[in-house]
Amino acid sequence: MIPVCFSHPNTLSSSSQVPQNLITCIYQIQLCNSPTYLTLTWSKTLFSHSLTIYAADSFSITISLYPSTFSFFRNRPGSKSIYLTHHHYQRIKLYWDFTRTDFAENSAEPESCFYIAISCNARLEFFLGDLQDELSRRSGLVLARQVLLEPTLLSRREHVFGHKSYISRAKFLGSKHEIGIECTGGVLKVKVDGETSLVIKRLAWKFRGNERIYVNGTEVEFIWDVFNWVSSDNHSNTNGHGVFIFQVGDGGVWPEMVGPEKRLMRKSLSSIAGPAPMPSTTLSPSPSCSSVLQWAEESSDGGRSSCSSSTRSYGSNGGFSLLLYAWKKD
């Protein structure tokens, strides 16, 4: 079991730069014959929509999906060549197309009509999406069937924003599920696909804990930490975030925070620390998270880590973790 990270209460101000939805997924791939963790961070704010693609010690790129709310400013299909200094200067090429992409309501992550691809030495090594023919036509790549299979998703971290109800739609155990978190009157309810799976009462005493629930007959460990919410209820600050983990099997790999997610957490931490300058290093989810993740990595052989380097142990353990940050809004 992984102890849940928690910190002192923090706030989010009403701003066009505060994400409406922010999702980070980490995939296990081979990049130029080297095992790599590939992180995709989808971010949507009131006036922007972006994707940050990141591979530790290799590259990072941010793609603007919808730089404006006006449809005629949407981006065209794109591509970019990148030389990997840690891979003997091998060249990879990224391809993407979000011109006709469908998104679920209030979600930063696409549902259909898109593609993201990475090739190395004219060989396709990563593909996500459903426009295989479009990619082949534009790139000239020969799409091997094994590469077109859905890539291995190790973990997913999502920031959701609301008042008393928070919704996430995540794919695990072979299908897509709607996860609902409701917190009112000192009672926490967990719903999966509209059905109540767990009710936790007296949160003032049970603000942290873990229970087992079942999704399609499969055991899922649910871990929660609503210390921020309980603490803020006793102060004038009504904001803060709850932390919820849904863990299947041995769990997945914990992706480090980059791009807009890193900026969000830095803003949150700066509200705690005051005007002192924040370090430019990779952020952990909260002040206590780095030690918690380090403990999890050292005490478990399941492969859970913060993956700050692509040279960590490689190989899927069949686990998956969904980590939700539920932020209270004014």
Side-chain angles (χ1 to χ4, degrees):
M1 189 200 80
I2 301 179
V4 183
C5 312
F6 66 93
S7 64
H8 297 289
N10 44 73
T11 62
L12 288 177
S13 60
S14 298
S15 167
S16 62
Q17 295 306 309
V18 174
Q20 295 175 326
N21 184 236
L22 200 157
I23 300 169
T24 295
C25 299
I26 184 165
Y27 297 90
Q28 176 179 284
I29 70 170
Q30 286 278 349
L31 186 63
C32 299
N33 297 318
S34 296
T36 302
Y37 293 125
L38 184 71
T39 300
L40 271 59
T41 298
W42 308 88
S43 175
K44 182 179 181 182
T45 69
L46 185 60
F47 297 117
S48 67
H49 198 167
S50 65
L51 164 66
T52 297
I53 307 174
Y54 171 79
D57 302 327
S58 296
F59 71 92
S60 178
I61 180 175
T62 296
I63 302 168
S64 182
L65 307 184
Y66 291 86
S68 168
T69 55
F70 299 100
S71 60
F72 50 84
F73 284 128
R74 293 181 181 179
N75 286 353
R76 296 179 178 180
S79 63
K80 183 178 180 63
S81 295
I82 299 175
Y83 287 90
L84 306 179
T85 57
H86 289 77
H87 293 269
H88 306 290
Y89 289 93
Q90 294 192 73
R91 185 180 73 122
I92 66 170
K93 193 162 186 179
L94 277 65
Y95 302 88
W96 63 87
D97 186 354
F98 299 99
T99 55
R100 303 185 306 275
T101 303
D102 293 325
F103 294 88
E105 184 179 1
N106 297 324
S107 176
E109 189 177 34
E111 285 201 330
S112 61
C113 301
F114 76 101
Y115 68 74
I116 308 162
I118 301 176
S119 68
C120 179
N121 298 324
R123 183 180 68 253
L124 186 65
E125 299 200 334
F126 175 80
F127 179 85
L128 186 68
D130 55 1
L131 300 180
Q132 297 92 335
D133 293 341
E134 289 291 320
L135 171 63
S136 182
R137 181 175 62 84
R138 289 196 175 98
S139 66
L141 293 170
V142 177
L143 307 186
R145 183 176 180 181
Q146 60 270 25
V147 178
L148 292 179
L149 296 176
E150 190 167 341
T152 302
L153 177 62
L154 298 179
S155 64
R156 173 188 176 96
R157 183 170 60 227
E158 182 171 359
H159 297 255
V160 290
F161 302 80
H163 299 283
K164 297 179 180 179
S165 180
Y166 308 87
I167 299 293
S168 172
R169 296 173 179 86
K171 187 173 183 180
F172 61 98
L173 296 176
S175 59
K176 203 162 194 177
H177 298 280
E178 181 180 276
I179 304 296
I181 302 290
E182 296 180 4
C183 186
T184 180
V187 176
L188 180 70
K189 291 184 179 180
V190 180
K191 294 184 177 181
V192 179
D193 299 328
E195 299 291 332
T196 300
S197 298
L198 184 64
V199 177
I200 303 162
K201 300 179 180 179
R202 296 187 293 276
L203 281 183
W205 297 95
K206 299 179 180 179
F207 55 84
R208 286 187 297 164
N210 65 290
E211 292 283 351
R212 293 177 181 177
I213 64 175
Y214 289 86
V215 178
N216 292 344
T218 300
E219 183 180 287
V220 176
E221 184 172 12
F222 172 65
I223 308 168
W224 72 91
D225 186 336
V226 293
F227 174 82
N228 285 336
W229 291 353
V230 172
S231 179
S232 64
D233 286 344
N234 296 324
H235 298 80
S236 59
N237 171 31
T238 58
N239 293 291
H241 65 262
V243 183
F244 307 94
I245 298 176
F246 296 82
Q247 183 171 291
V248 181
D250 291 328
V253 175
W254 299 105
E256 60 184 272
M257 293 185 174
V258 297
E261 187 178 26
K262 182 177 180 179
R263 291 192 292 272
L264 171 65
M265 296 307 295
R266 176 178 293 175
K267 183 176 182 180
S268 171
L269 294 179
S270 66
S271 70
I272 303 170
M278 297 295 295
S280 59
T281 55
T282 299
L283 291 179
S284 297
S286 73
S288 63
C289 257
S290 59
S291 59
V292 169
L293 294 180
Q294 182 179 3
W295 175 88
E297 184 182 38
E298 292 174 352
S299 63
S300 171
D301 59 359
R304 293 185 294 268
S305 72
S306 59
C307 62
S308 59
S309 171
S310 60
T311 60
R312 295 185 186 272
S313 60
Y314 181 71
S316 174
N317 58 5
F320 170 78
S321 292
L322 169 64
L323 172 58
L324 295 182
Y325 282 84
W327 296 83
K328 283 190 175 181
K329 298 192 300 184
D330 290 330

